[in-house]
Amino acid sequence: MDNNSLAHTKWECKYHLVFEPKYRRQIIYGKLKIEIGKILRELCERKGIEIIQAECCPDNIHMLVRIPPKYSASEIIGYLKGKSSLIIFDRHANLKYKYGNRHFWCRGYYVDTSGKNARKIQEYIKNQLEEDRLTEQLTMKEYIDPFTEL
């Protein structure tokens, strides 16, 4: 178990964070997914947050992060969502006019302390996209014209 330290403390605080863009913003999110990942990485570095595992899925973001105990998980989520939406709309000013206000992310989020399950959460995040693709293939209906069988 690797421990981090501040001035007089040793700590190990890992959190699994999940948040998603608003429904109307998913088109933007799909086009800017890689850039949004870079923005989130930059914001985490500013606060001294280590990203252990992260994945930008088609409709949400999964992150396993190590947050120093001087910050709460809700404070970090608010910081990431607030600052990233400002940066997104500043870098892509035309989106403000097309999509209105600067609210990019949904109000809610999911957070879980990882504890001893950190390895399983890492595997889950790593395999999330593949699982989504597989379930999408299983639910995909093929429409065949019964008269021409095409």
Side-chain angles (χ1 to χ4, degrees), residues 20-31:
E20 56 191 32
K22 284 187 169 189
Y23 178 73
R24 295 184 187 125
R25 307 290 195 248
Q26 287 183 359
I27 296 168
I28 304 169
Y29 172 77
K31 294 176 184 175

Side-chain angles (χ1 to χ4, degrees), residues 42-49 68 70-71 75-76 79:
E42 178 186 318
L43 291 171
C44 285
E45 287 173 6
R46 288 183 193 174
K47 291 276 189 180
I49 298 166
K70 62 184 177 180
Y71 303 119
E75 180 182 359
I76 293 304
Y79 169 76

Side-chain angles (χ1 to χ4, degrees), residues 142-150:
E142 294 186 29
Y143 295 101
I144 299 173
D145 184 6
F147 300 109
T148 61
E149 295 189 20
L150 295 176

Side-chain angles (χ1 to χ4, degrees), residues 35-44 84 87-88 91:
E35 188 171 346
I36 290 170
K38 290 176 185 175
I39 290 168
L40 292 172
R41 190 175 309 113
E42 178 186 318
L43 291 171
C44 285
S84 65
I87 293 170
I88 290 166
R91 290 186 184 172

Side-chain angles (χ1 to χ4, degrees), residues 59-144:
D59 61 349
N60 57 31
I61 293 189
H62 287 269
M63 297 174 80
L64 180 63
V65 294
R66 186 176 285 132
I67 300 175
K70 62 184 177 180
Y71 303 119
S72 69
S74 62
E75 180 182 359
I76 293 304
I77 291 266
Y79 169 76
L80 290 176
K81 289 168 60 174
K83 292 293 184 189
S84 65
S85 71
L86 291 174
I87 293 170
I88 290 166
F89 283 107
D90 280 346
R91 290 186 184 172
H92 302 281
N94 61 331
L95 298 177
K96 283 187 282 192
Y97 302 109
K98 188 172 183 181
Y99 293 99
N101 61 20
R102 290 177 174 232
H103 301 289
F104 186 79
W105 304 104
C106 285
R107 286 180 60 197
Y109 60 89
Y110 173 80
V111 65
D112 185 18
T113 55
S114 66
K116 298 190 184 281
N117 298 326
R119 188 166 291 132
K120 289 190 181 228
I121 292 172
Q122 274 182 280
E123 291 174 16
Y124 170 76
I125 292 171
K126 185 177 176 183
N127 298 325
Q128 183 65 34
L129 281 177
E130 188 60 33
E131 289 175 19
D132 285 349
R133 282 191 203 108
L134 290 174
T135 56
E136 188 174 298
Q137 290 296 321
L138 292 175
T139 60
M140 199 181 302
K141 293 181 181 178
E142 294 186 29
Y143 295 101
I144 299 173

